[in-house]
Amino acid sequence: MNIALIAHDRKKDLMVKLVTAYELILQNHQLYATGTTGTRIMEATQLKVHRFKSGPLGGDQQIGALISEDQMDMVIFLRDPLAAQPHEPDVNALIRLSDVYEIPLATNIGTAEILIRGLQIGLADFREIVHVGDNRPISL
């Protein structure tokens, strides 16, 4: 699966802890991240991460473009709800695209952990079984 990893500045340490704890699961997937987050992950783990620009410089939009092309399967975006973000419209657009294209999205550590553990047992396999963008009814 293609997984995007994004973290606001005050959440980057938490993202590093998360991916370190679940490195064995994440190593089986293609990882993408915005600039500094991706660098921090690669420095702390053995994971390979495709890095985009930092969020404020368009990285969120680059990931959004992959979502709109049905090339992203999951987004873990550890947001800082207590800090104003200068690129808040980009953040909102990314969340909106995740909803439009029915991409599993975690915006906090609790949900992120559930999504990653779900990867391990196949709960996200519907992304590979059913092409969600077909607009056909999904029957499981």
Side-chain angles (χ1 to χ4, degrees):
M1 299 220 142
N2 294 329
I3 302 169
L5 303 169
I6 309 164
H8 283 153
D9 288 344
R10 295 193 315 193
K11 298 293 181 172
K12 290 189 190 316
D13 288 341
L14 190 56
M15 177 66 82
V16 169
K17 288 179 183 178
L18 177 73
V19 298
T20 300
Y22 292 103
E23 185 171 355
L24 291 177
I25 296 171
L26 293 171
Q27 72 184 2
N28 299 318
H29 301 278
Q30 296 295 121
L31 303 178
Y32 299 82
T34 49
T36 307
T37 302
T39 299
R40 296 272 311 272
I41 290 168
M42 289 190 298
E43 289 172 352
T45 68
Q46 297 297 312
L47 296 170
K48 291 182 168 86
V49 180
H50 176 88
R51 289 176 47 241
F52 292 110
K53 295 179 180 185
S54 71
L57 298 178
D60 296 340
Q61 292 180 341
Q62 289 176 296
I63 291 172
L66 289 180
I67 291 171
S68 71
E69 295 295 326
D70 199 26
Q71 295 179 24
M72 193 60 63
D73 298 300
M74 183 177 293
V75 177
I76 296 175
F77 189 169
L78 300 184
R79 299 174 62 221
D80 184 353
L82 301 177
Q85 302 296 327
H87 63 295
E88 193 68 28
D90 298 338
V91 171
N92 291 336
L94 183 67
I95 292 169
R96 180 184 165 279
L97 284 170
S98 295
D99 287 343
V100 168
Y101 291 96
E102 300 183 11
I103 304 299
L105 166 70
T107 59
N108 62 67
I109 192 72
T111 309
E113 187 170 15
I114 290 169
L115 286 182
I116 292 172
R117 286 176 173 249
L119 278 173
Q120 186 178 26
I121 60 174
L123 295 181
D125 288 353
F126 78 93
R127 295 280 311 150
E128 295 174 355
I129 296 169
V130 178
H131 189 277
V132 178
D134 284 346
N135 293 325
R136 290 180 283 176
I138 299 173
S139 59
L140 300 176

